[in-house]
Amino acid sequence: MKQSSGFIKKLKISQVFSAVSSISVLLIMINVEESKKLIVSIIASLLFWLGLIAEQVLVWSANKQRKKLEQSFGRKEQGLPGIISFFKTKTGKAADLIFAVSTVIYIILFAGNWGENTVQYVFLFLMFLSFRLHCIANGKNYRYIHYLQKRRAKS
């Protein structure tokens, strides 16, 4: 069970790093003095890349751990990867819905040149974050968490 709790922890922390990386989009809209713009852009870039790298390392590590768990429990998770799976979990459904709505609103705002300094960035942030959460929450690793939870409930 300790092995499965580490697997679950990695996926949850990867979602936190998704949020950290996506926050970099919001930093773009901060209005700062010309002399501080370079610093803000470096911080935003670092947040984006470090968050993305940490997220991916944790997801890959969790994936490797899931495969070991599958062997020990004798059950292999079926299905497509999260990027091309939709509405597979409750969290995945929420991420998919937020992604769809924020994408439509962003396109409308962009086409109409409305909210260029703030509102567009908020919806761009929501698009990035919800897409990344979509990939995690609809993926095999996340679906395997539900299997483990059902398995514990039966015990």
Side-chain angles (χ1 to χ4, degrees), residues 81-126:
I83 195 166
I84 53 177
S85 296
F86 296 90
F87 303 105
K88 296 292 182 187
T89 65
K90 191 174 184 178
T91 306
K93 289 175 187 176
D96 293 342
L97 183 62
I98 293 169
F99 177 67
V101 170
S102 61
T103 300
V104 168
I105 293 173
Y106 176 75
I107 290 170
I108 291 168
L109 291 171
F110 182 78
N113 290 327
W114 299 304
E116 291 174 333
N117 294 329
T118 54
V119 180
Q120 283 186 17
Y121 287 111
V122 171
F123 283 99
L124 195 59
F125 159 76
L126 287 172

Side-chain angles (χ1 to χ4, degrees), residues 48-136:
F48 176 80
W49 287 109
L50 292 176
L52 179 65
I53 291 167
E55 169 198 343
Q56 289 304 305
V57 166
L58 286 165
V59 168
W60 291 336
S61 178
N63 193 51
K64 186 177 179 180
Q65 200 168 356
R66 174 188 51 86
K67 289 178 180 182
K68 287 180 184 176
L69 286 169
E70 286 176 334
Q71 288 176 346
S72 67
F73 290 138
R75 181 190 184 275
K76 186 172 169 108
E77 187 60 46
Q78 301 297 317
L80 298 170
I83 195 166
I84 53 177
S85 296
F86 296 90
F87 303 105
K88 296 292 182 187
T89 65
K90 191 174 184 178
T91 306
K93 289 175 187 176
D96 293 342
L97 183 62
I98 293 169
F99 177 67
V101 170
S102 61
T103 300
V104 168
I105 293 173
Y106 176 75
I107 290 170
I108 291 168
L109 291 171
F110 182 78
N113 290 327
W114 299 304
E116 291 174 333
N117 294 329
T118 54
V119 180
Q120 283 186 17
Y121 287 111
V122 171
F123 283 99
L124 195 59
F125 159 76
L126 287 172
M127 278 175 44
F128 278 12
L129 180 60
S130 60
F131 175 73
R132 293 164 81 173
L133 293 178
H134 149 80
C135 292
I136 294 171

